[in-house]
Amino acid sequence: MKRIKEGMIALVLALVVIAGHPPEVQAQAPGLTISPQLLTISEGSRASFTVMLDTVPSGNVRVVLIGLSNGHITLDRSELDFDPRNWNVPQTVTVSTANDHDATDERVTLTLIARGSDYVNVRGEMQIEVRDDDRPGLVIDPYRVVIDEGSSDRFTLRLATEPSDTVEVMIGRPLNSDIRVSLSSLTFNIENWNTPREVIVRAIEDSDLSNEDTEIPLTARGGDYEGRTGIVPVTVIDRGDPLPPTLDDYALIVSDPSMTLEEGGSGRFEVRLKTRPRGNVTVNFILPDHSDVTLDSDTLIFTPANWGTEQPVEVVVGEDADFSNDTVRIELVASGGGYDIAQGRVDVTVIDNDTFGSALILSPKNLTLNEGESGTFTVRLSLRPGAEVNVVLSQTSNPDIRFDTDANRPGNQNSLIFTSQNWNIPRPVSVFAAQDNDAIEDRATISLMASGGGYIRIENELPVSVIDDDPPPGLILFPSREITVSEGDSGIFTLRLATRPSGEVTLTLIQPSNSDIRVDTDSKREGFQNKLVFGLSNWAQEELVIVSANRDNRYSRTEVSIVAAGAEEYAGMTTQLSVIAIESNPSLAWESRGAIPAISPPNAQDTTTIRISCKEDGVPCDVFLDCTAQDGTIYRGRMSPIPSMGARVLSTRDVVSIVGGDWSGKGRLLCSLRSQEIVSGQIWTRSGDGVLVNNTQSLRSAEVADALGRTYHRVDIESIPSPDDSDLSNIRIRCEGGNDCTDVVFECYEDDGTLYSGVLGLIGRAHTRHLQTQELSSMIGHRWQGMTLSCEVRSDHPFSVQVLTRTGGGGALVNNSATSAYRDSMEFR
C-alpha cells in the first residue's frame, strides 16, 4: 500500500512538471575572466595573472594585451590564442618589473581586446600596481667628520633616490659655535640628485683642552623628500689633549670588497684610510700568480693631507681559453704612518663569456626592398640564456635605410630584450627604404650585437638591398638630339642630367672634325668652350649650348659627341648631337608679317586648314614660310605668289611640299609668314566630333616696367584647367624676335591670392616650348583643382603664348588663349 502511494505521488509530480513550463535559461554573453583584477608586485620582481574566455567561441579567438607605455613593466606575452577546445583553460601571463631610481609607487591599467569569431572587440581590464622598494633619504659620506681644532675637513651629500620634484636640503648651524660650515643649503633635481655635493666643515681654535662633539642638522624640503632629516656628527680633536689611537683606528676602507665582472670587462674600487696617519702610508696590492686580473697601479700613497680622499683602482679582466667562471682575491697590505698592521682584500668574481652554440638566428638572412617601401626580418636566440639578453642593432653606412624594433613605440627603436621565457620567439624588425632622387641601388648592412646572459659579444649581420625606382642615369638634350642651323647663323640647345648624381659630373662636348661647325658652352668667355659641370645642386638645371655654322654654301650634317666623366653611374656615358647646316636664304631678311601656330603633322587625327591672304592692291604677294617644329627642327620654303587681294588655302600636305619635309613625330609646327608685302594668315582645326575651331589667336607679350624701372616682357594666362580634369591643356610659348628668351618665369596665383612660382628657363629664339598642365604643376610645386589658377609669364625678351585645350567627349581641340586685358599690358594677334 505504501509503494502504491509513493508511486501516485511521483506520477502527480511528473504531471506537474510536464504541464508546467521549464525555467528560462538566459545565454551568457562572451566575456573575459581575468584573475586577479588587481596584481600587486614589488619593484624588480615578477608576478602573474591568468586569462580565459567566459563562453565557448564559434572559432579561433586572439586576445591582445595593450596599454603598457611604462618601460619598467614588461609582459612575457602580448597575445593569447583560444579556440573551442581550450577556451576555459586559464592562460598565464608573467609581469616583470625593473628597478628605477625614484621612490614612487606606480599603477597602470592593462587593456585586453579580443579578436575573432563572436568575440570581436570584447574587452577586459586589470590593474597592475608596482610597490617601489626605494625610500627617500640623505646619503652622507663620511658619516662622521673628525677634525683637528684649527683645521677643516669636508663631507659630501647626495639623495638616495630620484626626487619627484626639486629638493632643497637646509644645512643648519651646529650648537657648538666653534664649528662653521661652508654652505647653508644645497639644491638637487632629477639631473643631479645622485651627484655628491661637497660641504666644508671648519673648527675654530678655542682656549680649552677638551675634545668636543656636536652635530650638523640637515632638513629636506620639496617633492617626496619633504620633511626628511639627517645629521652629520662632528668630533673636534683638541690639539692640547689628543686622544691616543687604537689598533681599530688604523684600517683600510675599501668601497667594494667584492666585485663581479665579465671576462674581457673592467671595473673599479676605491681605497681610503680610516683615520689620519702619523706620516705617509703605502698600500701595496698582491695578486695570485697567473691571474687574468690586472690593476692599473701596484701601489697607492696616502699622506696626512689626503688620507680621507678615496683613490680609485681600475680592475681589468683578460680573456682566457676556458669556459668556467673564476674568483680572484686581491690582497691589500699597508705600511708606514702607523698603518703597518692594516690589511684589506677585494674578491673579484669573473663571469666567463665563452659559450657553446650561442647565436642570433635571423630570418630571412638577407632582405631586398623596393625604394620607398618597407619589409621585415625576425630575430631570436639559439639557446636559452641564463639571464636577460640585450640585442642592439646598428647601421651607419646609409641614411636612406632605417629600421625599428618596436612599432608600438614612437620613433625608431634599436634594441630587443630576450629572457629565458621568450628567447626562442622570433621578434620582428621593420626595415624602411627611403625615396631618394638618385638612380643608385642602395645597399647597407644591419649589425646585431648581443650582450648578457652568456651571449657576450655574439654578433650577426643582415645585408639589405634596395631596388631603385628612379629613371636610369642619362643626358637630356632639349629640344631634341638634332638641331638645324642656317649658315652664318647659330642655334641653341640645352643639356642637363636625368638623375641626381652621386658626385660631380663633367660633360665634354668634342668639337666636330667639320671646322665650319662649332659648339660653345660659355659665350661670355673668349673662344669656344666645351665643358659643363653638374653637381648635387644644379644637376636638373638646363645649361645653354650655342651651335654656330660658317658659310660654305652647302648642306651638311655633323655629329657632336658628348662624353660624361666623374660620378660612377655617369662615368663613360656618351651621346650624340646631330647638327644640320642649311644654306642661308635671302628671304629670311623679309619682315615677319604674322605667325601660323600649332600646325598639326599630316598623320595627326586633327585636320588642319591654313588660309594666307594678300592685302596688297594691284601687287601680288611673295610669302616665305619660316617654320620650326617643337623639337627645334627648321623647315623653310617659298610659296608661289598670291594674287593681289587674293588668298591661298593650304593643307598640311601642301605645307610639306613647300618646306620640303614632314615633321611627323616632332610635335606641331609654327610658321612665320615672311613677306615684303602685307599678308595675313589663319589656321582652322577640325578635331573631335568634327568641331571646326579657329586656332590662330595667341597672346603676344607686352613690355612693362617694375617699381625700380627695370623692363621685362609679360603675358597673363587666365583660368588654366587642372591637370586632374578630363580637359587636357597644352601651353605653347614661342620666343619671338632676334634674341633668346633666357629667363622665362611663371608666377601663378590661386583664386584666394596665394602665390606659386617656378622657373621654366631658356627658350631659344624662334623656338617653341610646350608645357602640359601636369608639367606646370610640378614646376610651381602646387596642384590646383578646377580652373582656379592664373599665371603671369615673364621673360627678358618678347614672346607669345597660346593655350590649346582638348575637351568634350570627342576630344575637340579649342584655343583658350583669349582674355580680357588693357591694351598697354597685353596684345592679341
Side-chain angles (χ1 to χ4, degrees):
M1 189 70 178
K2 181 180 179 180
R3 291 182 179 177
I4 294 175
K5 288 181 178 180
E6 291 175 348
M8 292 179 66
I9 293 171
L11 179 60
V12 172
L13 292 174
L15 291 173
V16 171
V17 171
I18 292 172
H21 296 283
E24 293 184 1
V25 179
Q26 187 171 359
Q28 186 175 358
L32 304 177
T33 296
I34 305 168
S35 181
Q37 288 290 317
L38 172 62
L39 182 65
T40 303
I41 182 171
S42 297
E43 186 180 85
S45 63
R46 298 176 180 173
S48 62
F49 63 92
T50 62
V51 182
M52 68 178 184
L53 306 186
D54 290 346
T55 60
V56 181
S58 60
N60 291 340
V61 176
R62 172 163 291 178
V63 178
V64 181
L65 294 77
I66 62 174
L68 290 185
S69 60
N70 187 332
H72 300 306
I73 304 175
T74 58
L75 307 177
D76 67 334
R77 306 171 68 181
S78 60
E79 298 176 346
L80 304 173
D81 292 320
F82 295 90
D83 55 37
R85 293 174 297 178
N86 73 343
W87 64 276
N88 59 349
V89 177
Q91 297 195 33
T92 301
V93 180
T94 300
V95 182
S96 301
T97 65
N99 284 305
D100 59 18
H101 297 301
D102 62 41
T104 305
D105 293 340
E106 299 172 283
R107 176 176 284 213
V108 298
T109 299
L110 179 66
T111 302
L112 293 83
I113 303 176
R115 299 172 181 168
S117 68
D118 51 344
Y119 268 78
V120 174
N121 287 331
V122 173
R123 295 171 176 254
E125 289 186 351
M126 67 166 297
Q127 303 288 320
I128 300 175
E129 182 175 89
V130 181
R131 298 288 178 84
D132 203 279
D133 59 357
D134 299 309
R135 292 295 178 264
L138 304 178
V139 180
I140 306 163
D141 186 31
Y143 172 73
R144 176 185 294 272
V145 177
V146 179
I147 184 172
D148 288 340
E149 187 179 276
S151 65
S152 63
D153 206 339
R154 65 199 66 199
F155 68 91
T156 62
L157 180 64
R158 66 177 177 86
L159 304 186
T161 61
E162 180 179 331
S164 61
D165 202 348
T166 300
V167 174
E168 184 179 24
V169 179
M170 309 304 296
I171 304 173
R173 287 181 175 273
L175 294 177
N176 188 334
S177 61
D178 293 334
I179 305 300
R180 310 289 173 81
V181 291
S182 60
L183 299 172
S184 61
S185 66
L186 289 171
T187 301
F188 296 88
N189 53 42
I190 60 174
E191 295 180 354
N192 71 350
W193 64 271
N194 60 349
T195 301
R197 310 284 292 281
E198 190 175 85
V199 180
I200 298 174
V201 183
R202 182 172 181 81
I204 307 300
E205 290 189 1
D206 58 16
S207 57
D208 61 42
L209 299 176
S210 302
N211 295 332
E212 297 169 319
D213 292 298
T214 188
E215 294 177 347
I216 301 173
L218 306 173
T219 304
R221 299 175 181 172
D224 53 349
Y225 274 74
E226 185 70 30
R228 298 284 176 176
T229 61
I231 59 170
V232 182
V234 179
T235 298
V236 179
I237 308 299
D238 197 280
R239 292 179 301 166
D241 186 20
L243 294 175
T246 64
L247 293 179
D248 208 31
D249 292 325
Y250 295 111
L252 301 178
I253 307 300
V254 180
S255 64
D256 197 354
S258 62
M259 307 174 64
T260 300
L261 301 176
E262 291 182 338
E263 188 178 275
S266 63
R268 65 186 290 177
F269 62 90
E270 289 81 29
V271 181
R272 67 175 177 86
L273 304 187
K274 184 177 181 181
T275 58
R276 185 190 308 277
R278 295 194 296 267
N280 289 351
V281 177
T282 301
V283 178
N284 293 289
F285 301 100
I286 302 174
L287 287 166
D289 293 337
H290 311 295
S291 170
D292 294 323
V293 174
T294 59
L295 306 177
D296 67 337
S297 176
D298 295 328
T299 61
L300 296 176
I301 304 296
F302 292 92
T303 69
N306 74 348
W307 64 273
T309 302
E310 290 183 331
Q311 296 192 40
V313 180
E314 290 289 332
V315 183
V316 178
V317 182
E319 299 275 357
D320 61 16
D322 60 37
F323 298 89
S324 59
N325 298 334
D326 299 317
T327 299
V328 177
R329 174 164 291 179
I330 305 171
E331 300 284 354
L332 290 76
V333 179
S335 62
Y339 274 74
D340 296 285
I341 60 173
Q343 294 183 349
R345 68 188 185 192
V346 176
D347 292 324
V348 180
T349 300
V350 179
I351 306 300
D352 202 276
N353 64 1
D354 299 300
T355 58
F356 292 103
S358 295
L360 298 175
I361 308 300
L362 309 183
S363 179
K365 295 183 178 180
N366 54 67
L367 194 62
T368 300
L369 305 174
N370 291 322
E371 186 176 87
E373 296 181 359
S374 63
T376 60
F377 70 96
T378 62
V379 184
R380 67 175 179 86
L381 305 186
S382 61
L383 297 174
R384 185 188 301 274
E388 190 173 86
V389 177
N390 185 27
V391 179
V392 178
L393 292 78
S394 61
Q395 191 284 117
T396 58
S397 62
N398 194 325
D400 289 334
I401 297 177
R402 298 175 292 107
F403 59 83
D404 185 10
T405 59
D406 190 347
N408 295 321
R409 295 177 59 188
N412 293 325
Q413 312 304 315
N414 69 335
S415 64
L416 296 168
I417 301 296
F418 291 92
T419 66
S420 57
Q421 285 77 36
N422 70 352
W423 63 274
N424 60 347
I425 298 176
R427 304 282 292 280
V429 179
S430 300
V431 183
F432 311 94
Q435 196 80 37
D436 57 26
N437 294 322
D438 59 47
I440 303 171
E441 296 200 342
D442 292 314
R443 283 179 170 79
T445 298
I446 298 177
S447 300
L448 297 91
M449 169 76 78
S451 61
Y455 277 74
I456 307 303
R457 293 200 304 275
I458 300 299
E459 302 179 16
N460 207 340
E461 292 183 340
L462 180 89
V464 180
S465 301
V466 179
I467 300 174
D468 202 279
D469 63 356
D470 293 294
L475 307 179
I476 297 180
L477 286 71
F478 181 85
S480 73
R481 296 179 184 273
E482 182 176 288
I483 183 171
T484 304
V485 183
S486 297
E487 290 182 351
D489 202 353
S490 62
I492 61 169
F493 71 97
T494 62
L495 257 175
R496 71 173 181 89
L497 305 185
T499 62
R500 185 172 186 239
S502 59
E504 191 173 85
V505 177
T506 300
L507 300 184
T508 301
L509 289 78
I510 301 174
Q511 298 289 359
S513 56
N514 182 354
S515 60
D516 291 328
I517 304 297
R518 283 292 175 264
V519 294
D520 188 4
T521 59
D522 189 351
S523 61
K524 297 179 181 178
R525 295 176 58 188
E526 186 176 351
F528 296 102
Q529 310 304 316
N530 68 333
K531 293 185 183 297
L532 294 172
V533 178
F534 294 91
L536 300 180
S537 60
N538 72 332
W539 64 272
Q541 179 178 320
E542 295 179 334
E543 296 294 342
L544 177 68
V545 181
I546 299 174
V547 182
S548 57
N550 293 330
R551 294 183 181 275
D552 63 359
N553 296 321
R554 60 187 178 87
Y555 171 91
S556 67
R557 186 185 187 96
T558 304
E559 302 296 326
V560 176
S561 296
I562 304 171
V563 181
E568 178 182 357
E569 68 274 20
Y570 276 92
M573 185 177 293
T574 63
T575 189
Q576 300 285 327
L577 171 73
S578 296
V579 181
I580 301 173
I582 60 176
E583 295 184 40
S584 181
N585 194 308
S587 301
L588 291 172
W590 294 354
E591 183 178 351
S592 176
R593 300 293 184 175
I596 304 295
I599 304 174
S600 60
N603 61 355
Q605 64 177 1
D606 302 332
T607 302
T608 300
T609 301
I610 301 164
R611 183 181 179 88
I612 303 174
S613 302
C614 177
K615 300 299 183 179
E616 294 285 352
D617 187 7
V619 179
C621 297
D622 282 331
V623 179
F624 184 81
L625 300 183
D626 184 6
C627 308
T628 307
Q630 285 181 212
D631 68 348
T633 304
I634 296 174
Y635 297 89
R636 291 169 176 160
R638 187 169 177 174
M639 297 176 55
S640 59
I642 302 174
S644 169
M645 302 306 292
R648 180 72 47 80
V649 178
L650 303 176
S651 67
T652 52
R653 289 294 178 188
D654 296 329
V655 176
V656 169
S657 298
I658 295 170
V659 301
D662 187 339
W663 60 97
S664 296
K666 299 183 178 182
R668 294 177 180 266
L669 198 68
L670 185 144
C671 293
S672 292
L673 305 179
R674 297 190 179 276
S675 178
Q676 294 176 307
E677 291 78 39
I678 304 299
V679 298
S680 65
Q682 285 185 327
I683 178 170
W684 293 82
T685 302
R686 189 179 299 278
S687 59
D689 294 329
V691 178
L692 185 63
V693 178
N694 185 338
N695 284 327
T696 307
Q697 189 177 49
S698 62
L699 301 172
R700 171 170 287 185
S701 65
E703 187 174 35
V704 296
D706 61 16
L708 298 177
R710 296 172 299 192
T711 61
Y712 59 91
H713 294 262
R714 169 180 155 184
V715 164
D716 289 352
I717 309 174
E718 311 289 345
S719 304
I720 303 173
S722 167
D724 298 327
D725 288 353
S726 57
D727 300 329
L728 303 178
S729 294
N730 179 16
I731 303 172
R732 302 167 55 87
I733 308 165
R734 175 179 170 83
C735 184
E736 307 285 359
N739 295 301
D740 299 327
C741 299
T742 60
D743 187 18
V744 181
V745 176
F746 275 68
E747 290 190 352
C748 302
Y749 295 87
E750 274 276 15
D751 284 352
D752 62 1
T754 305
L755 170 65
Y756 301 93
S757 59
V759 178
L760 183 62
L762 170 77
I763 303 177
R765 67 181 186 276
H767 281 63
T768 303
R769 186 75 177 264
H770 295 252
L771 194 66
Q772 303 289 341
T773 51
Q774 177 66 49
E775 297 174 79
L776 175 61
S777 173
S778 298
M779 185 177 70
I780 65 174
H782 174 61
R783 201 171 190 90
W784 66 99
Q785 299 300 317
M787 301 177 70
T788 61
L789 192 77
S790 300
C791 294
E792 295 178 2
V793 187
R794 302 182 179 185
S795 179
D796 52 350
H797 290 103
F799 65 98
S800 61
V801 176
Q802 187 181 48
V803 182
L804 300 179
T805 300
R806 194 172 295 279
T807 184
L813 189 67
V814 178
N815 188 337
N816 287 334
S817 304
T819 185
S820 175
Y822 292 107
R823 291 291 295 177
D824 60 355
S825 64
M826 193 74 65
E827 181 176 315
F828 295 111
R829 71 173 186 178

